[in-house]
Amino acid sequence: MKPARGPAPPRPGGASRAPHQVRIIGGQWRRSVLPVASLPGLRPTPDRVRETLFNWLGQDLTGWRVLDAFAGSGALGFEAASRGAAEVLLVEHDPTLVRSLDASRERLKATGLRVQRGDGLGVLRGGRARWELVLLDPPFDAGLAQPALAAAAGAVVPGGWVYLESGEPAPAPPAGLRLHRSGRAGAVHYALFQADPA
């Protein structure tokens, strides 16, 4: 008589498990792996969504200054740097993620990319308009989509871009921004806004 079999182990990549790495999908570091910590609520931007975003932006970000205000795994910010952005600032409050982002930066020798531990919303509100692209992917349950979008309107240069990812349709754009494109992939809603020209 065969012994009774226990429950099957969870399948890799199942809905109950977060991925433990993501791959950069374009630019000089294409196919390079970024680790993803097993932290509650951390969900890197899906490949399909990243591909769509950078298609909208035209792929070549040479010379751009980019702020990734809620960096998490760093997938969005590293994609921007991989595509030629001159300066990328990743802001993240979780110390475990900050260490992981720093390790990836060193491994890829990403000299134009900086990692800063801090509050993304505070960074958006505390600086002058200097970014060609602001990336916003705050925790879906934190209620930060609307305040982050409003703060980004004052942080982006005239004609610059603001990307927002959230668990619900994007809020109406604040003064100074207009909706350019939007989409949805499963539970992820994403939208690209453009700042008014000077």
Side-chain angles (χ1 to χ4, degrees):
M1 182 175 179
K2 292 181 180 178
R5 295 175 62 183
R11 296 174 60 186
S16 62
R17 297 184 61 176
H20 294 287
Q21 63 182 33
V22 294
R23 290 187 183 275
I24 297 173
I25 58 174
Q28 64 174 320
W29 300 317
R30 185 179 179 194
R31 297 191 182 93
S32 295
V33 172
L34 300 175
V36 178
S38 297
L39 295 175
L42 181 63
R43 20 133 234 101
T45 300
D47 289 4
R48 187 175 111 198
V49 175
R50 280 184 281 138
E51 185 173 11
T52 298
L53 168 62
F54 288 99
N55 282 340
W56 289 347
L57 292 169
Q59 297 291 343
D60 184 4
L61 274 56
T62 299
W64 289 28
R65 293 163 298 180
V66 178
L67 170 62
D68 189 350
F70 305 91
S73 70
L76 288 172
F78 276 97
E79 288 282 2
S82 184
R83 289 166 166 79
E87 179 185 352
V88 178
L89 175 61
L90 305 181
V91 179
E92 174 54 51
H93 75 278
D94 186 282
T96 299
L97 295 177
V98 168
R99 287 191 295 271
S100 178
L101 293 168
D102 262 327
S104 294
R105 177 185 57 79
E106 291 176 8
R107 178 170 49 84
L108 294 173
K109 297 179 173 56
T111 55
L113 187 145
R114 292 187 298 126
V115 179
Q116 176 179 320
R117 185 178 178 193
D119 169 40
L121 196 56
V123 171
L124 286 166
R125 289 172 171 165
R128 57 186 175 85
R130 62 181 305 264
W131 307 101
E132 276 78 29
L133 173 63
V134 173
L135 300 164
L136 305 174
D137 183 12
F140 282 4
D141 60 355
L144 290 172
Q146 189 155 14
L149 187 61
V156 70
V157 299
W161 302 94
V162 177
Y163 169 76
L164 175 66
E165 194 171 309
S166 61
E168 55 191 20
L177 293 180
R178 61 176 177 82
L179 179 64
H180 177 69
R181 300 285 294 272
S182 65
R184 180 179 180 182
V188 177
H189 295 259
Y190 53 97
L192 183 65
F193 300 85
Q194 188 169 27
D196 293 340

